[in-house]
Amino acid sequence: MEYEPVIGLEVHSQLKTKTKIFCTCSTSFGAAPNTHTCPVCLGMPGVLPVLNKKVVDYTLRMAVATHCEINRESRFARKNYFYPDLPKGYQISQYELPIAQNGWLEIELNGRKKRIGITRIHMEEDAGKLTHDPDRPLSMVDFNRTGVPLMEIVSEPDIRSPEEAGAYLRQLRSIVRYLGISDGNMEEGSFRCDANVSIRPKGSGPFGTRTELKNLNSFKHVEKAISFEIHRQKEILEDGGQVIQETRLWDPDKNRSTSMRGKEEAHDYRYFPDPDLLPLVIDDHWIDSIKTAIPELPDKKKKRFMDEYALPSYNAELLTSSRELADYFEACVEAFPNPKQVSNWVMGSLLGLLNAQGMSIDASPISPENLSQLLKLIDQKIISGKIAKTVFEEMAHTGRPPKEIVAKKGLVQVTDESSIRSAVLTVLHRCSKEVDDYKNGKTKLFGFFVGQVMKETQGKANPKIVNKILKNLLGE
Amino acid sequence: MKISREEVIHVADLSRLDVDTKLIDKFAEQLGTILEYVDTLKSVDTKGVTPTSHAISMTNAFREDDEQQSFNRDSALANAPDKEDGNFIVPKVVG
């Protein structure tokens, strides 16, 4: 029988505020253990949490960007469980009345567009960090992360393949980054994903029993773990067995998941409204002020890049994958209005350089002004494409403007026919054996001659003129 | 009986309480009596009344995103039964 996977994702995105959600402690990463704690986040008796307004602002931005209905009144609830990373014995979250629900976002996969529903978005606090001692029977607890604001985004079970799950996650991350509300970094844990996976006979019908996958801390792991799980469930059903509802932990080293059955499965959170926090009321005025502050989002920008700059879908998608990259591209196009050429250089040489050095576009040693100046030099035939590569490397190295590099290194292209002709003659004289071979039919040697002439002129000869003169002199 | 032996064991487990098995029936009876008493409230007609989640009618208390000095770490750890390198120490929870 052919099966169809049914997948829903729960994403936790850490919000980029300076302070925690309910107290004034810093959220900055990497401080010494328990130095960013206070009576509120440590859960001391008698303290009162007070909501950070920016957490609400940021979550509202996400709600608007993903076409959600915003609940005019929402509440915080206590989710009760005992675990040492949770000093109060409960996590403050939202349950019955989340801040937003019923939204969607659009993904594109192999040229096909699809809407993925968003069930709800809510705010909650993060838990602390546990480190387990490898030798002694004890764990160490650091509460610096306790109370760091999280936004949880729960999708509808609309996803039908590991690739769609990857596309949805990438789109979601790109939106939180565009909105400037989260770093969206999976490897560093500021963007975390759990997946609910089940399979059913292809077509429709009721959903099968689902499992929940945890510890998916990179885009690659998400897709791999879901593929593994689909395959695992298929084998069980084909052997006449039944899938058990359970939580499974992905092991990226072994490329498989293992069951977490046991104590942690006994979920009974006994949610109830947190009496310490007042109901949250959001009025039209607030929503309007959020709407006007939303920047152009990735899907709109992509469409505009395709329309305005006549770029293919692939290029437009890559160039709009981050707001900073898109801004860089547009700054270049403004100075050098040839989008195709700019796109080639940004996606090829520039991203190649940045990826190799592990740098973000913000840290690019080559400014948009300098890159467009380089493209102008090529366009005006002052330097050849080949020399441009050398100049580009020098720019990457020094950050200097290309004009300065070209002048200093004497890299201006030679277009003067008589000096090229004399270089060609020197080469032909030196390589008389190859010239004979060429004349006896080894025409492949033409490229060799071109190479020698370029070497002779330190790469400065205009290749078109070299070709023309070589053909002339070898022709007879 | 409002509450079964199994429910008493489940609630004790969630609360990490070690309950003497000899006392389970007694607790079931006592908890049952409490729940029955709370049931008295159900006799009030609440048709058309919005469920109350908060006892006061205020909404929206916020703070701005301004950082202030945290606790000093010695104070944070002062009540910890066990500590090491600035961490709280607890019995190992996994593995």
Side-chain angles (χ1 to χ4, degrees):
Chain A
M1 194 192 299
E2 211 179 330
Y3 290 100
E4 163 184 79
V6 175
I7 303 158
L9 298 181
E10 286 172 22
V11 171
H12 285 89
S13 189
Q14 186 184 316
L15 295 170
K16 236 165 49 175
T17 55
K18 287 206 291 280
T19 65
K20 295 186 178 182
I21 180 168
F22 298 121
C23 66
T24 55
C25 287
S26 165
T27 54
S28 68
F29 185 77
N34 295 303
T35 51
H36 293 169
T37 59
C38 75
V40 174
C41 56
L42 287 172
M44 300 284 184
V47 297
L48 269 183
V50 185
L51 181 58
N52 184 340
K53 189 159 184 278
K54 199 161 238 171
V55 172
V56 185
D57 275 327
Y58 281 3
T59 312
L60 284 175
R61 281 194 209 173
M62 190 62 182
V64 169
T66 52
H67 320 93
C68 282
E69 293 161 14
I70 290 162
N71 282 321
R72 297 314 165 107
E73 183 168 338
S74 77
R75 275 199 300 254
F76 285 92
R78 293 186 180 180
K79 177 179 179 178
N80 298 281
Y81 63 94
F82 282 116
Y83 206 66
D85 63 3
L86 198 65
K88 298 192 293 294
Y90 59 85
Q91 178 194 28
I92 305 177
S93 180
Q94 293 195 293
Y95 186 57
E96 277 169 304
L97 278 174
I99 187 165
Q101 59 197 28
N102 300 332
W104 53 267
L105 63 77
E106 193 170 73
I107 58 166
E108 188 173 334
L109 202 65
N110 308 322
R112 262 190 49 240
K113 286 183 176 165
K114 179 175 174 177
R115 268 189 192 186
I116 307 292
I118 287 172
T119 314
R120 58 185 275 146
I121 298 178
H122 73 248
M123 301 167 279
E124 63 184 29
E125 58 178 349
D126 206 348
K129 192 181 116 202
L130 288 170
T131 314
H132 309 297
D133 193 294
D135 305 315
R136 297 170 297 166
L138 51 87
S139 301
M140 288 184 274
V141 195
D142 172 9
F143 288 125
N144 283 348
R145 206 179 58 190
T146 306
V148 165
L150 298 177
M151 170 176 68
E152 180 170 339
I153 304 143
V154 182
S155 87
E156 288 287 298
D158 289 345
I159 299 164
R160 291 289 172 272
S161 71
E163 295 73 30
E164 280 186 18
Y168 168 82
L169 271 185
R170 282 186 191 90
Q171 182 68 359
L172 210 56
R173 179 181 64 167
S174 147
I175 293 173
V176 298
R177 286 186 172 173
Y178 263 67
L179 295 173
I181 60 175
S182 173
D183 292 331
N185 192 320
M186 283 197 99
E187 285 77 8
E188 286 172 13
S190 62
F191 195 75
R192 299 169 228 161
C193 171
D194 299 335
N196 289 305
V197 180
S198 66
I199 59 172
R200 65 178 177 190
K202 198 172 169 61
S204 59
F207 293 165
T209 307
R210 68 186 160 87
T211 57
E212 186 181 1
L213 304 175
K214 287 189 179 285
N215 198 33
L216 312 174
N217 46 20
S218 80
F219 286 94
K220 220 166 69 195
H221 293 164
V222 172
E223 296 192 24
K224 268 188 174 173
I226 294 175
S227 296
F228 175 89
E229 185 57 20
I230 293 167
H231 186 70
R232 193 188 69 88
Q233 292 187 11
K234 263 184 202 165
E235 285 198 330
I236 292 175
L237 294 185
E238 275 163 7
D239 289 348
Q242 271 187 325
V243 176
I244 305 163
Q245 183 167 346
E246 61 180 352
T247 302
R248 299 181 65 87
L249 206 61
W250 178 247
D251 183 340
D253 298 324
K254 293 182 181 146
N255 270 326
R256 63 190 176 91
S257 63
T258 46
S259 174
M260 272 179 67
R261 245 171 301 165
K263 252 185 215 159
E264 312 201 12
E265 280 304 292
H267 290 328
D268 186 350
Y269 293 129
R270 294 149 292 146
Y271 285 96
F272 65 88
D274 192 322
D276 285 346
L277 287 153
L278 296 170
L280 173 61
V281 174
I282 292 153
D283 58 15
D284 288 341
H285 179 70
W286 195 348
I287 296 173
D288 288 343
S289 76
I290 295 289
K291 278 184 179 156
T292 54
I294 299 270
E296 185 184 35
L297 291 169
D299 45 352
K300 272 218 180 107
K301 207 184 270 284
K302 181 187 164 188
K303 197 180 169 304
R304 182 168 65 80
F305 273 33
M306 292 170 72
D307 296 343
E308 203 172 311
Y309 303 126
L311 293 175
S313 167
Y314 176 81
N315 298 39
E317 178 147 347
L318 199 135
L319 290 170
T320 55
S321 61
S322 86
R323 205 162 131 187
E324 293 75 15
L325 183 61
D327 288 348
Y328 187 101
F329 171 81
E330 293 206 279
C332 289
V333 171
E334 202 179 343
F336 181 73
N338 181 337
K340 196 166 168 249
Q341 188 86 338
V342 171
S343 156
N344 287 344
W345 275 81
V346 169
M347 289 174 60
S349 304
L350 185 73
L351 286 184
L353 167 79
L354 297 178
N355 288 342
Q357 315 235 350
M359 268 187 298
S360 71
I361 188 82
D362 303 342
S364 169
I366 298 173
S367 66
E369 295 72 33
N370 284 350
L371 184 65
S372 39
Q373 194 184 92
L374 178 70
L375 299 186
K376 272 186 208 158
L377 293 176
I378 304 169
D379 194 51
Q380 294 160 359
K381 300 200 166 53
I382 293 170
I383 55 171
S384 66
K386 195 176 148 85
I387 288 289
K389 290 240 157 30
T390 313
V391 176
F392 182 87
E393 275 164 33
E394 190 66 19
M395 288 160 73
H397 200 63
T398 61
R400 305 303 307 163
K403 267 188 190 159
E404 187 187 305
I405 294 167
V406 168
K408 211 162 130 194
K409 302 212 156 191
L411 295 171
V412 175
Q413 176 164 249
V414 176
T415 47
D416 166 39
E417 294 210 12
S418 68
S419 61
I420 294 178
R421 193 183 168 87
S422 80
V424 171
L425 285 170
T426 310
V427 166
L428 296 183
H429 183 70
R430 192 170 66 218
C431 308
S432 52
K433 192 185 162 301
E434 284 83 359
V435 172
D436 288 343
D437 289 348
Y438 180 86
K439 290 193 168 156
N440 289 327
K442 261 185 110 177
T443 50
K444 269 193 287 184
L445 280 168
F446 192 81
F448 165 80
F449 295 128
V450 174
Q452 289 297 312
V453 175
M454 294 312 281
K455 215 176 193 176
E456 183 71 25
T457 59
Q458 283 108 50
K460 285 185 280 184
N462 178 312
K464 269 191 195 149
I465 300 174
V466 172
N467 276 340
K468 195 180 88 185
I469 293 173
L470 261 175
K471 267 187 194 147
N472 253 326
L473 292 174
L474 289 168
E476 296 79 26
Chain B
M1 194 82 84
K2 291 287 290 183
I3 184 165
S4 67
R5 279 181 63 88
E6 287 66 36
E7 282 170 308
V8 174
I9 294 167
H10 178 59
V11 171
D13 187 46
L14 289 173
S15 318
R16 303 291 186 270
L17 292 174
D18 197 6
V19 174
D20 188 338
T21 45
K22 279 179 271 178
L23 293 173
I24 291 174
D25 284 328
K26 187 178 173 188
F27 286 149
E29 197 188 316
Q30 289 179 344
L31 288 169
T33 315
I34 295 168
L35 290 179
E36 267 164 38
Y37 181 65
V38 173
D39 270 353
T40 314
L41 290 173
K42 281 192 185 161
S43 61
V44 180
D45 181 11
T46 56
K47 222 178 278 169
V49 179
T50 329
T52 306
S53 63
H54 292 76
I56 48 174
S57 57
M58 281 173 66
T59 57
N60 288 8
F62 297 119
R63 37 171 280 269
E64 296 303 316
D65 188 26
D66 297 325
E67 188 184 330
Q68 280 176 37
Q69 185 64 43
S70 291
F71 234 19
N72 78 60
R73 185 158 74 179
D74 290 339
S75 307
L77 291 163
N79 292 331
D82 200 1
K83 56 199 156 194
E84 193 177 298
D85 302 332
N87 289 287
F88 292 84
I89 299 295
V90 296
K92 198 167 191 171
V93 284
V94 293

